[in-house]
Amino acid sequence: NNIMNPGKVFDLSYQELRLLVTQFRAHEKVITDIHERFLIYEAYKRHYEKSDPYTMKWAEQTLMLSFPKIYSMIQKLVKHGYLKRRRSTDDKRIVFLEATNKLIDGVNLYEDMKLNELNALGLTKKSAKDKPSLSEFNSKTAESLRKKYMQRN
């Protein structure tokens, strides 16, 4: 077994899932759907790797969901400011989906909160200064976090 402390790793996973189905669900702009979260993290990953943004077709094929379902998910993510569309200059039928600053700030904050939760559980010595842990997130702290860390457009 190469997991340092399975109980604490489970605690982190449980805390994250608990937040996704309780606290985060109360906030319309927090994405809790697993497919939508995957699209957010894919856009984030491609942004930082400086690789090509993905397309609607890629999302449809990768998630194995119907075009109307993918279109609906993308519409929601664009509406909430997490993704932006950009038409291909080579082929106008192709639409690229790219991360926005709001998406990047949101993922950075969420990952910092997870790092601080790992620190609180004693699984790492690293921490993100001046950021809460996942277990410190609640409806009272949500708005101040959004204002403090997600102001870029």
Side-chain angles (χ1 to χ4, degrees), residues 90-106:
D90 298 332
D91 184 342
K92 298 293 183 204
R93 296 172 296 175
I94 298 173
V95 176
F96 293 108
L97 298 154
E98 301 175 322
T100 62
N101 288 333
K102 180 178 181 178
L103 179 146
I104 294 162
D105 291 346

Side-chain angles (χ1 to χ4, degrees), residues 99-116:
T100 62
N101 288 333
K102 180 178 181 178
L103 179 146
I104 294 162
D105 291 346
V107 171
N108 286 338
L109 173 60
Y110 189 76
E111 292 301 314
D112 284 347
M113 290 169 63
K114 279 186 5 187
L115 177 64
N116 286 343

Side-chain angles (χ1 to χ4, degrees), residues 31-146:
I31 305 302
T32 58
D33 177 85
I34 192 70
H35 295 107
E36 293 169 1
R37 289 182 72 81
F38 177 78
L39 293 174
I40 283 175
Y41 273 76
E42 183 67 31
Y44 180 88
K45 177 179 174 283
R46 289 177 184 229
H47 171 80
Y48 276 102
E49 290 177 347
K50 298 188 182 345
S51 59
D52 290 336
Y54 61 85
T55 63
M56 297 279 283
K57 188 66 156 174
W58 177 91
E60 186 181 358
Q61 291 173 343
T62 301
L63 296 177
M64 294 184 274
L65 296 172
S66 69
F67 180 80
K69 177 65 177 163
I70 293 294
Y71 185 81
S72 169
M73 290 186 330
I74 297 296
Q75 281 290 102
K76 177 181 176 183
L77 296 174
V78 169
K79 176 185 164 198
H80 289 310
Y82 296 117
L83 293 176
K84 60 185 171 191
R85 292 182 174 100
R86 181 177 54 82
R87 285 222 179 264
S88 168
T89 54
D90 298 332
D91 184 342
K92 298 293 183 204
R93 296 172 296 175
I94 298 173
V95 176
F96 293 108
L97 298 154
E98 301 175 322
T100 62
N101 288 333
K102 180 178 181 178
L103 179 146
I104 294 162
D105 291 346
V107 171
N108 286 338
L109 173 60
Y110 189 76
E111 292 301 314
D112 284 347
M113 290 169 63
K114 279 186 5 187
L115 177 64
N116 286 343
E117 191 68 25
L118 286 167
N119 179 279
L121 292 169
L123 296 173
T124 184
K125 293 190 184 328
K126 295 179 183 178
S127 66
K129 300 286 184 243
D130 302 321
K131 306 256 176 76
S133 66
L134 286 176
S135 58
E136 294 170 324
F137 181 89
N138 59 48
S139 57
K140 293 176 184 152
T141 60
E143 187 60 23
S144 64
L145 286 172
R146 188 188 65 72

